[in-house]
Amino acid sequence: MRIGSSRLGRTFADKVEGFRRLEADGFASAWLPNIFEHDTMSVIVAAGAVTQRVTLGVDVVPTYSRHPITMAQQALSAQAATGGRFVLGVGLSHQVVIENHFGQDFAKPVRHMREYLTVLGRLLTGEQVDYDGEVFPVRGAQLRVGDAEPPPVLVAALGPQMLRLTGRLAEGTVTWLAGARYLEEVVVPTIGQAAAAAGRPDPRIVVGLPIALTNDVGATTERIARAYRFYGDLPSYQRVIRGSGAEGPAGVSLIGDEALLERELRRLKEIGVTELIVTPEGHDRETRDRTYEWAKSLAPTF
């Protein structure tokens, strides 16, 4: 199981430097969420110039915000700029975001993603796309990017329908706040069976979790509960968190001493997780720094 991290900065320059630092510290991958800040793929293009080895991933770009042609152009450009080290994570986002912020219809998200991945996948390979979709009717579209192979596409698939779709049409999934129980009982078998039925390779299972190396479990649990409480209000995350046997984000976070954390990481590896994105947490800066250093020590050898 590869160990990556998403501990990056606030400014554009800080984020680029964060990618460089994660490579220097031995992490296998470095990830940046695409939220309402800098455009993540633009940051990754810049980070490609200051790194040589580390995988650079976006986690994740909402599909409703970019047409598949635009997404494919940006992804292939990022792949070229990073020398083939780019990973594209895409996701639906959430109904409240898509309908309120983007003003778009969220009525049939599975259909939307099925058509999106179909068109995106063909464009990334350089194929001319003639697709008579209900959401994406695309005719005669083709991208000619000769210096980049198609990047892996991971989908933020949370429920069984989306996991089956992802297994058929993408390279894997990237999750957030999915605990070991949900990963073992739902994510890994569902996407794996779908990929096998479609004749595709074993999917990548990339898992992001808040992690804290601490002896003050109570204070850190309170901090995580406050910092991530809005996830508990989103229906898709509610289902995943409860399916993990927890009541809120703190319940699926990994919090404790070295022995407990390493035991939990081994369990994830045994379940079939191929990569862990460590988000260092804690009730104070010292704890977050300590967690980062611990993850850094494991990254080259776990």
Side-chain angles (χ1 to χ4, degrees):
M1 184 173 72
R2 287 157 49 95
I3 304 292
S5 183
S6 61
R7 191 193 193 197
L8 301 170
R10 290 290 183 184
T11 69
F12 191 99
D14 285 345
K15 289 171 182 175
V16 173
E17 170 59 20
F19 279 119
R20 189 205 63 77
R21 180 187 173 192
L22 288 172
E23 177 176 83
D25 285 345
F27 286 94
S29 61
W31 299 80
L32 183 64
N34 194 90
I35 50 180
F36 292 102
E37 295 182 6
H38 302 98
D39 173 67
T40 302
M41 282 192 272
S42 298
V43 177
I44 285 175
V45 166
V50 298
T51 57
Q52 292 79 42
R53 173 194 56 79
V54 70
T55 296
L56 305 171
V58 52
D59 174 27
V60 297
V61 184
T63 53
Y64 284 89
S65 67
R66 308 183 197 202
H67 191 279
I69 297 175
T70 303
M71 187 79 82
Q73 281 184 306
Q74 289 187 296
L76 288 168
S77 298
Q79 182 76 320
T82 60
R85 293 180 285 123
F86 177 61
V87 177
L88 174 63
V90 300
L92 294 167
S93 187
H94 304 278
Q95 184 173 5
V96 64
V97 175
I98 300 308
E99 291 185 346
N100 292 352
H101 294 176
F102 292 104
Q104 296 189 40
D105 182 14
F106 199 77
K108 296 182 178 180
V110 176
R111 181 190 66 180
H112 164 93
M113 185 61 78
R114 181 179 64 252
E115 293 192 12
Y116 196 99
L117 291 175
T118 300
V119 174
L120 177 68
R122 294 176 185 177
L123 289 167
L124 290 174
T125 62
E127 179 182 340
Q128 179 174 307
V129 179
D130 293 286
Y131 182 72
D132 189 22
E134 294 180 52
V135 183
F136 297 106
V138 177
R139 296 177 182 85
Q142 187 174 24
L143 299 177
R144 297 176 179 85
V145 181
D147 60 344
E149 294 294 322
V153 177
L154 306 181
V155 181
L158 299 177
Q161 286 189 80
M162 196 60 64
L163 286 163
R164 286 191 287 269
L165 178 65
T166 299
R168 295 195 303 270
L169 297 177
E171 280 69 45
T173 187
V174 54
T175 70
W176 172 242
L177 296 179
R181 188 172 110 184
Y182 191 78
L183 291 166
E184 183 173 27
E185 295 178 359
V186 179
V187 173
V188 174
T190 304
I191 192 174
Q193 290 165 12
R200 296 179 66 94
D202 291 342
R204 294 170 67 165
I205 312 292
V206 182
V207 172
L209 287 170
I211 298 178
L213 174 60
T214 180
N215 295 321
D216 196 340
V217 174
T220 295
T221 299
E222 291 178 10
R223 143 86 184 185
I224 292 175
R226 289 195 308 272
Y228 298 100
R229 64 183 179 276
F230 61 92
Y231 287 107
D233 297 330
L234 297 169
S236 55
Y237 280 110
Q238 287 176 353
R239 289 190 293 271
V240 171
I241 290 169
R242 289 173 183 166
S244 301
E247 294 298 319
V252 296
S253 302
L254 306 184
I255 307 169
D257 60 18
E258 288 93 338
L260 183 146
L261 295 183
E262 291 187 26
R263 184 167 63 249
E264 291 297 322
L265 263 59
R266 285 194 295 272
R267 182 183 178 192
L268 292 175
K269 185 176 182 179
E270 291 167 1
I271 287 169
V273 173
T274 60
E275 186 162 341
L276 178 67
I277 306 172
V278 176
T279 299
E281 264 299 344
H283 64 284
D284 57 18
R285 178 64 180 270
E286 181 181 355
T287 301
R288 294 190 288 274
D289 288 343
R290 181 185 177 202
T291 302
Y292 178 86
E293 292 299 322
W294 168 81
K296 169 184 168 182
S297 71
L298 288 182
T301 59
F302 194 83

